């Protein structure tokens, strides 16, 4: 491994995932007004899955998809590659709508992991998918306490195949330094996110969906009187029976949506390819995706070319809901993530960091993802995945399909459909709140790392600030 950990790092360029593929050539922008049955705003996983399932169900539908840059430019092409069964809001849904409905949502998410793998294989999408499951580890006594509570809750929601691991069992899967215990579930897979987005976009275009890239949507208008719902762009307006918003972390850029979902930043680094002796020592032969039980948690995978790609929050939020420029992240964030890498894998502490990047994810005020279609206005949306969108987007796409087609199914009965969320506070209150929340989480992690045996009360204060 390189002994020059602080050498030049490629920072931005959308993401490491595109560095090997190259950025795609943009499809032509919209060149005038259009009419359609369905207009989808956003070319990430949500928009692409929705278009895919609608076209498969009703091939005659006229579908226009509008994307500001290129399909997969946002979180869909930048995430950690966790195809897993977690989703945002399960506890809140159980409290508000009853545990049976939340359990039904969990079963749907378990099945959605299988669905993505099945569709990718059927459509010939090569996305480096390996079904290794999800390993989450505890490295402090307080984290171990949360691990036990997490496992109990998973079992209560039907996750009987989640296994609680001893320190030795967890280390046998992945040699994380200082591991005290872990959990493993089979409902997870590693993917190369940009490959999935690129492949899915090609399949959708091949089905006859009209995709226009380089086409920013500035405003979405509801149906009024005899006028259809519409999506407004600098190059023309698309009028459609249904206009579906699938913009996730970039939603705040739409007129009137600045306080709908907060664009939370998450950053990643990718090491150089690590040598065989590192993997002989570390294991990770199952290619599990890896996480932990810290408050400011990390997430990682072993890539197809034997790197570690590792992420965390960094600078969590930019004032005024601003978003990044092509994935560039702060040097301080790179330093923090390198420290995490060294703590988890001391043998990789000297590895060269080849790439760093960042992206935004959509966070609703109550941290619950939602799907909705208002037949009166013709407007629909899905999102607010809070970082668990790789699988949730697939469930959202199938649910939006059923809602658009007017079908009452098990999917349209899930508790996230029509779930209402209040708006975020105006500035500067949301900036102060988010930065205060993550400062508290980091402080709690430091306190626990110094030997506190139970969850820090600072973290409980942060949870109250967050409104979780």
């Amino acid at each position: 491994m390189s002994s020059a950990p602080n050498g030049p790092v490629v920072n931005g360029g959308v993401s490491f995932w595109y560095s090997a593929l190259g950025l795609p050539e943009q499809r032509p922008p919209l060149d005038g007004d259009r009419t359609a049955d369905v207009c989808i705003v956003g070319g990430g996983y949500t928009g692409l899955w929705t278009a895919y399932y609608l076209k498969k169900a009703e091939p005659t539908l006229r579908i226009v998809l509008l994307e500001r840059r290129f399909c997969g430019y946002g979180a869909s092409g930048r995430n950690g590659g966790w195809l897993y069964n977690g989703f945002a809001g399960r506890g809140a849904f159980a409290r508000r709508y009853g545990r049976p409905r939340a359990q039904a949502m969990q079963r749907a998410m378990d099945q959605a992991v299988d669905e993505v793998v099945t569709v990718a294989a059927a459509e010939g999408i090569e996305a480096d998918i390996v079904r290794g499951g999800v390993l989450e580890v505890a490295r402090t006594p307080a984290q171990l306490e949360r691990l036990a509570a997490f496992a109990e809750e998973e079992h209560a929601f039907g996750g009987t195949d989640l296994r609680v691991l001893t320190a030795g069992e967890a280390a046998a899967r992945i040699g994380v330094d200082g591991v005290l215990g872990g959990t493993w579930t089979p409902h997870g897979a590693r993917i190369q996110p940009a490959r999935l987005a690129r492949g899915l976009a090609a399949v959708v275009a091949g089905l006859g969906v009209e995709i226009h890239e380089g086409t920013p949507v500035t405003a979405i208008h509801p149906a009024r009187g005899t006028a259809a719902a519409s999506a407004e762009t600098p190059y023309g307006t698309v009028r459609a029976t249904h206009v579906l918003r699938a913009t996730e972390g970039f939603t705040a850029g739409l007129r009137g949506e600045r306080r709908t979902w907060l664009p939370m930043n998450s950053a990643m680094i990718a090491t150089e390819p690590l040598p065989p002796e590192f993997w002989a020592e570390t294991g990770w032969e199952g290619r599990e995706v890896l996480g932990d039980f810290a408050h400011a948690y990390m997430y990682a995978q072993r890539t197809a070319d034997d790197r570690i790609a590792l992420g965390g929050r960094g600078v969590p939020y930019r004032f005024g809901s601003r978003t990044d420029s092509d994935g560039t992240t702060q040097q301080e964030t790179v330093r923090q993530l390198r420290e995490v890498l060294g703590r988890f894998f001391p043998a990789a502490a000297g590895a060269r960091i080849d790439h760093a990047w960042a992206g935004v994810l959509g966070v609703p005020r109550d941290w619950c993802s939602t799907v909705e279609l208002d037949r009166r206005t013709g407007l629909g949306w899905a999102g607010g995945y809070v970082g668990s969108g790789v699988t949730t987007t697939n469930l959202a796409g199938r649910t939006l399909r059923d809602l658009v087609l007017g079908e009452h199914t098990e999917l349209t009965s899930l508790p996230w459909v029509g779930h209402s969320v209040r708006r975020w506070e105006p500035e500067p209150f949301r900036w102060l709140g988010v930065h205060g929340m993550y400062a508290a989480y980091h402080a709690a992690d430091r306190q626990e790392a110094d030997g506190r045996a139970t969850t820090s009360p600072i973290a409980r204060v942060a949870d109250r600030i967050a409104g979780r």
Side-chain angles (χ1 to χ4, degrees):
M1 287 181 286
S2 168
S3 60
N6 297 314
V9 176
V10 176
N11 193 340
V14 183
S15 72
F16 161 75
W17 310 118
Y18 281 110
S19 64
L21 302 178
L23 297 181
E25 183 178 345
Q26 287 188 5
R27 295 173 175 86
L30 188 68
D31 59 357
D33 294 348
R34 293 284 195 282
T35 59
D37 296 307
V38 180
C39 175
I40 298 172
V41 180
Y45 293 151
T46 300
L48 292 170
W49 281 124
T50 302
Y52 174 81
Y53 287 111
L54 279 170
K55 263 297 189 181
K56 283 288 191 177
E58 292 288 347
T60 60
L61 283 176
R62 296 168 300 164
I63 302 175
V64 175
L65 188 151
L66 305 174
E67 164 56 41
R68 184 176 77 169
R69 290 288 297 275
F70 57 82
C71 290
Y73 171 77
S76 298
R78 309 189 198 187
N79 64 78
W82 276 46
L83 177 70
Y84 86 120
N85 66 340
F87 68 96
R90 186 178 67 180
F93 292 148
R95 291 188 295 272
R96 185 164 175 178
Y97 304 109
R99 182 173 289 268
R101 294 189 68 193
Q103 289 172 325
M105 180 81 180
Q106 184 62 72
R107 288 192 297 272
M109 283 296 300
D110 295 348
Q111 294 159 5
V113 174
D114 300 330
E115 174 73 6
V116 173
V117 175
T118 299
V119 172
E123 298 291 356
I125 300 173
E126 176 48 60
D128 298 339
I129 299 174
V130 179
R131 291 286 303 260
V134 183
L135 176 67
E136 296 182 272
V137 298
R139 298 179 63 251
T140 70
Q143 289 181 24
L144 196 62
E145 178 190 63
R146 290 195 293 277
L147 180 156
F150 167 76
E152 183 178 355
E153 183 181 34
E154 290 299 299
H155 292 154
F157 274 92
T160 55
D161 46 8
L162 179 126
R163 292 176 52 197
V164 177
L165 307 178
T166 65
E169 290 169 335
R173 286 184 175 272
I174 304 177
V176 173
D177 188 61
V179 64
L180 300 179
T183 63
W184 179 83
T185 173
H187 300 294
R190 178 206 75 186
I191 70 165
Q192 208 280 32
R195 286 186 180 274
L196 179 60
R198 184 180 68 173
L200 190 55
V203 169
V204 165
L207 291 173
V209 173
E210 188 178 332
I211 299 177
H212 294 287
E213 297 177 321
T215 304
V217 171
T218 55
I220 295 173
H221 302 290
R224 289 193 180 93
T226 58
S230 62
E232 182 182 328
T233 85
Y235 312 119
T237 297
V238 179
R239 295 174 177 82
T241 306
H242 303 289
V243 176
L244 307 178
R245 189 185 78 227
T247 47
E248 188 56 0
F250 293 99
T251 299
L254 291 168
R255 191 181 306 162
E257 304 290 350
R258 187 167 296 277
R259 292 168 54 197
T260 300
W261 291 332
L262 184 139
M264 186 82 75
N265 294 289
S266 197
M268 295 196 71
I269 56 173
T271 68
E272 64 182 316
L274 301 177
E277 55 266 28
F278 172 83
W279 298 112
E281 176 184 343
T282 304
W284 216 335
E285 295 304 317
R287 270 59 172 186
E288 302 91 340
V289 293
L290 171 68
D292 74 347
F293 286 90
H295 301 291
Y297 53 85
M298 61 79 74
Y299 51 93
Q301 66 152 277
R302 177 179 177 178
T303 68
D305 58 350
D306 287 337
R307 306 170 190 264
I308 294 177
L310 180 148
R313 281 291 178 264
V315 176
Y317 172 70
R318 291 178 172 86
F319 190 88
S321 293
R322 294 194 305 273
T323 55
D324 64 78
S325 176
D326 284 354
T328 303
T329 193
Q330 300 84 2
Q331 289 302 319
E332 175 62 16
T333 298
V334 179
R335 185 195 65 77
Q336 290 172 354
L337 292 176
R338 170 175 279 287
E339 286 186 354
V340 174
L341 173 70
R343 288 197 298 270
F344 273 68
F345 303 104
R352 186 182 70 242
I353 303 302
D354 278 352
H355 210 117
W357 70 101
V360 292
L361 49 103
V363 180
R365 188 62 184 86
D366 67 352
W367 302 72
C368 295
S369 50
T370 57
V371 177
E372 177 65 284
L373 179 66
D374 184 339
R375 307 197 76 84
R376 179 181 57 84
T377 63
L379 303 185
W381 60 86
Y385 305 122
V386 196
S388 298
V390 177
T391 309
T392 318
T393 51
N394 176 272
L395 183 61
R398 288 182 284 131
T399 305
L400 281 171
R401 171 201 60 195
D402 292 351
L403 291 170
V404 167
L405 298 179
E407 298 177 356
H408 298 285
T409 66
E410 290 183 4
L411 298 185
T412 63
S413 299
L414 293 175
W416 70 331
V417 177
H419 174 74
S420 60
V421 180
R422 67 184 175 91
R423 291 161 66 82
W424 281 88
E425 292 81 2
E427 295 291 22
F429 300 108
R430 67 178 179 272
W431 186 93
L432 292 169
V434 173
H435 280 262
M437 174 184 71
Y438 272 97
Y441 283 143
H442 285 293
D445 283 330
R446 288 192 297 271
Q447 191 178 76
E448 292 172 7
D450 287 340
R452 183 182 175 88
T454 58
T455 293
S456 168
I458 301 173
R460 303 189 195 283
V461 173
D463 286 341
R464 284 197 292 271
I465 294 172
R468 287 175 162 172

